[in-house]
């Protein structure tokens, strides 16, 4: 059975490929749902291709990667291929009849000479006469024989690595300890998988004698077996091993015996390999030594994984700390308090889907006694959108000090944002200038949804589509249209972002414009009561499903007329 295996939080979750076409994405109706905001709603698909499958991206925002390379067209999947959808890593698994040598694809793919490590292109002979032993490195029975020596080796390396939390310091300590456990060792190296290319690259090397040739020889065939089959291998008298035939200097290196073992992560997948060899013909490694080497490598792999995870955790904590600072900075851009004006009331609600968001609003009293109500939604979410939000907040604040006409103001804001505009980061925007003396509003709409106006009798009014211009930051010099109207006692204006109308529940049903209009019509005309009620109804509809977009509301209105 072909399947995709999700590797997350130390767990492996298998998804059987049972259909001719299976959609992968964030939506619940996808055949394989991946719960991450970095995954598009419908991100990619796998399509049956004979006895196997091919992978296709569906125009996702963050791309689909196959073995570290972003795919632009359909690609056939091979056993053990690694596929990434945003931050989600999956492995393709299936029938072993797909003979593509993919089990060896995790081995070294770079040129024969890499620094001081050489990976030999092997000869045709199988060299089985000189491989005197192999051992399943995932076996838990390594203490069956010589338990005292093996336990001592594990304890030795545990003590040596205790307290070492940095990977670059950990690897040399592993080699130092191995040279202590195996006095015959002359050369050693540790290879680790590169996170981007998934190639094995040398990360640490050690030589017992500084004056000797600093080159460490590795056989590609042996390395393929170690990584692909997850086996530890012992080769005696490697100088005569046909696997080294391609090496011109192998006789000079006089490798008499070598051991190569995989380093397995918590999912049992190779993240690296450890190799040591000896030049002493009187002290060749034995099968018992290989068992000790496996025990030591297992402990070393755990220490490496712990150090790597801790490093990742520390980096994540640092990023979260920086994001908390960014959230504080962004919230400081929003108004600290709402105006206290006779006959008028204001309500705002702002909730970002991530630590920072792209929704924007501001309420600015101007020198001519009017109130600017600026409201916008930056395309996208997260940090990029928050940076654009910060910029438009600054531009609006400066413009409000010098421009009084709503149309001229939005044109100036648009021209400012078009300068050094970031591709794809436009802003839908509504500017409302409220005259609290003459009780009028001037409204300019740049690509946003029309404000919903609730009249005292509960009827709903919206500006027509002809009044909607292009979003901010798209076309420099665009002539925006201004709509003016009076604001009568008891009338309420509701401005909202699409995070409100497009809020989804677990059945992927949208909250929708009709429900929003009906709810506003049937609710109280009191500004604060209405604003809180709309926000609560959106939560009720979502029914606990995490929001996919920033949700922002701004409600303002004129108090209803009173009679003595």
């Amino acid at each position: 059975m072909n399947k995709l295996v999700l590797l997350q939080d130390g767990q492996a979750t298998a998804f059987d490929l049972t259909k001719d076409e299976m959609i992968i994405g964030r939506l619940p109706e996808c055949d394989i749902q991946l719960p991450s905001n970095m995954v598009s709603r419908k991100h990619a698909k796998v399509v049956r291709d004979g006895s196997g499958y091919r992978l296709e991206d569906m125009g996702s925002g963050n791309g689909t990667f196959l073995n570290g390379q972003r795919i632009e067209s359909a690609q056939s999947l091979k056993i053990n291929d690694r596929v990434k959808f945003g931050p989600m890593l999956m492995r393709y698994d299936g029938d072993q009849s797909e003979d593509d040598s993919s089990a060896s694809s995790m081995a070294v793919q770079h040129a024969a000479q890499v620094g001081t490590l050489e990976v030999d292109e092997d000869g045709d002979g199988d060299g089985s006469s000189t491989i005197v032993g192999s051992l399943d490195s995932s076996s838990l029975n390594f203490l069956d024989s010589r338990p005292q020596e093996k336990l001592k080796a594990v304890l030795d390396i545990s003590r040596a690595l205790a307290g070492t939390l940095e990977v670059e310091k950990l690897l040399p300590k592993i080699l130092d300890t191995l040279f202590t456990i195996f006095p015959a060792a002359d050369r050693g190296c540790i290879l680790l998988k590169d996170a981007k290319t998934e190639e094995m690259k040398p990360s640490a090397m050690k030589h017992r004698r500084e004056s000797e040739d600093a080159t460490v020889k590795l056989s590609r065939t042996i390395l393929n077996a170690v990584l692909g089959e997850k086996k530890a291998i012992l080769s005696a008298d490697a100088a005569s091993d046909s696997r080294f035939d391609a090496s011109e200097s192998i006789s000079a290196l006089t490798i008499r015996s070598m051991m190569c073992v995989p380093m397995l992560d918590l999912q049992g997948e190779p993240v690296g390999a450890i190799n040591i060899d000896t030049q002493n013909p009187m002290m060749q490694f034995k099968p018992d030594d290989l068992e000790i080497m496996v025990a030591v490598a297992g402990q070393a792999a755990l220490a490496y994984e712990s150090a790597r995870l801790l490093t990742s955790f520390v980096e994540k904590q640092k990023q979260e700390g920086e994001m908390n600072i960014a959230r504080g900075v962004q919230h400081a851009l929003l108004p600290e308090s709402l105006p206290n004006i006779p006959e008028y009331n204001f309500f705002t609600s702002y909730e970002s889907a991530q630590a920072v968001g792209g929704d924007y609003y501001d309420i600015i009293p101007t020198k001519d006694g009017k109130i600017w109500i600026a409201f916008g939604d930056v395309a996208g979410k997260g940090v990029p959108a928050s940076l654009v939000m910060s910029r438009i907040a600054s531009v609006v604040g400066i413009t409000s000090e010098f421009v009084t006409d709503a149309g001229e103001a939005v044109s100036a804001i648009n021209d400012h944002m078009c300068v050094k505009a970031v591709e794809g980061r436009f802003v839908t925007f509504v500017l409302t200038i409220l005259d609290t003396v003459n009780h009028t509003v001037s409204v300019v709409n740049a690509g946003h949804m029309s404000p919903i106006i609730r009249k005292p009798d509960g009827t709903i009014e919206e500006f027509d589509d002809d009044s909607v211009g292009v979003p901010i930051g798209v076309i420099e010099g665009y002539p925006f249209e201004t709509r003016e109207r009076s604001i009568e006692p008891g009338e309420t204006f509701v401005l909202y972002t699409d995070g409100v109308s497009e809020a989804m529940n677990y059945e992927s049903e949208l909250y929708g414009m009709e429900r929003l209009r009906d709810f506003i019509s049937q609710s109280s005309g009191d500004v604060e009561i209405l604003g809180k009620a709309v926000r609560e109804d959106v939560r009720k509809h979502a029914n606990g499903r995490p929001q996919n977009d920033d949700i922002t509301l701004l409600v303002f209105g004129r108090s209803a007329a009173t009679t003595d």
Side-chain angles (χ1 to χ4, degrees), residues 21 65 160 165 177 239 250 263 267 323 325 361 398 405 425 457 476 482 508 527:
E21 181 178 294
F65 292 79
L165 304 179
T177 308
I250 190 65
M263 295 173 64
Q267 288 79 42
M323 291 303 295
I325 295 173
Y361 71 88
I398 294 173
D405 180 78
R425 295 294 174 180
D457 62 358
E476 188 173 359
T482 303
S508 297
V527 167

Side-chain angles (χ1 to χ4, degrees), residues 90 159 202 304 317 334 385 397:
M90 304 188 82
R159 283 194 293 266
Y304 166 71
Q317 291 292 97
L334 302 176

Side-chain angles (χ1 to χ4, degrees), residues 15 26 49 67 82 158 218 237 347-348 367 378 416 453 488 521:
F15 297 88
R26 191 173 72 243
D49 186 7
N67 296 326
R82 294 299 194 269
S158 297
L218 286 180
D237 198 10
F347 169 85
T348 60
K367 296 176 181 178
V378 180
H416 276 293
I453 306 167
E488 302 298 330
S521 174

Side-chain angles (χ1 to χ4, degrees), residues 210-384:
E210 296 182 359
S211 60
E212 70 176 6
D213 183 350
T215 303
V216 174
K217 285 283 180 178
L218 286 180
S219 158
R220 186 183 299 277
T221 298
I222 289 178
L223 195 57
N224 283 351
V226 168
L227 298 173
E229 302 174 22
K230 305 175 188 177
K231 287 186 176 181
I233 288 181
L234 167 64
S235 178
D237 198 10
S240 62
D241 195 331
S242 61
R243 286 169 171 75
F244 293 90
D245 285 348
S247 168
E248 297 179 358
S249 60
I250 190 65
S251 58
L253 291 174
T254 60
I255 299 175
R256 299 299 180 182
S257 181
M258 64 176 291
M259 294 188 292
C260 191
V261 300
M263 295 173 64
L264 305 181
D265 62 16
L266 298 177
Q267 288 79 42
E269 296 299 320
V271 294
I274 304 176
N275 180 89
I276 62 173
D277 66 59
T278 178
Q279 297 172 281
N280 190 337
M282 305 303 295
M283 299 185 66
Q284 294 189 6
F285 299 125
K286 299 179 176 60
D288 284 346
D289 295 324
L290 185 64
E291 293 183 358
I292 293 176
M293 180 77 166
V294 168
V296 171
Q299 190 66 22
L302 289 176
Y304 166 71
E305 277 287 279
S306 297
R308 187 179 63 83
L309 291 173
L310 181 61
T311 300
S312 177
F313 173 77
V314 170
E315 183 63 28
K316 183 179 179 182
Q317 291 292 97
K318 179 182 177 182
Q319 291 176 355
E320 289 180 354
E322 292 174 347
M323 291 303 295
N324 287 334
I325 295 173
R327 177 169 45 232
V329 171
Q330 186 174 46
H331 277 261
L333 297 174
L334 302 176
E336 295 182 1
S337 60
L338 301 177
N340 184 11
I341 302 172
E343 293 191 61
Y344 286 89
N345 297 292
F346 298 84
F347 169 85
T348 60
S349 174
Y350 175 83
E351 296 182 35
S352 59
Q354 300 176 20
V356 291
D359 284 1
Y360 160 73
Y361 71 88
D362 206 349
I363 302 175
I364 308 170
T366 59
K367 296 176 181 178
D368 58 358
K370 298 178 181 179
I371 302 292
W372 275 33
I373 301 170
F375 193 86
D377 184 359
V378 180
K381 298 184 290 294
V383 174

Side-chain angles (χ1 to χ4, degrees), residues 394-458:
S394 174
V395 171
V396 170
I398 294 173
T399 305
S400 68
E401 296 182 8
F402 303 100
V403 184
T404 57
D405 180 78
E408 292 179 7
V410 175
S411 294
I413 292 168
N414 176 61
D415 291 346
H416 276 293
M417 294 299 292
C418 282
V419 177
K420 298 182 179 179
V422 179
E423 183 178 355
R425 295 294 174 180
F426 57 85
V427 185
T428 63
F429 181 77
V430 177
L431 176 63
T432 302
I433 298 182
L434 173 63
D435 185 338
T436 60
V437 175
N438 299 309
H439 306 296
T440 61
V441 292
S442 299
V443 180
V444 178
N445 190 331
H448 200 77
M449 292 81 70
S450 169
I452 297 177
I453 306 167
R454 184 190 186 279
K455 297 185 176 182
D457 62 358

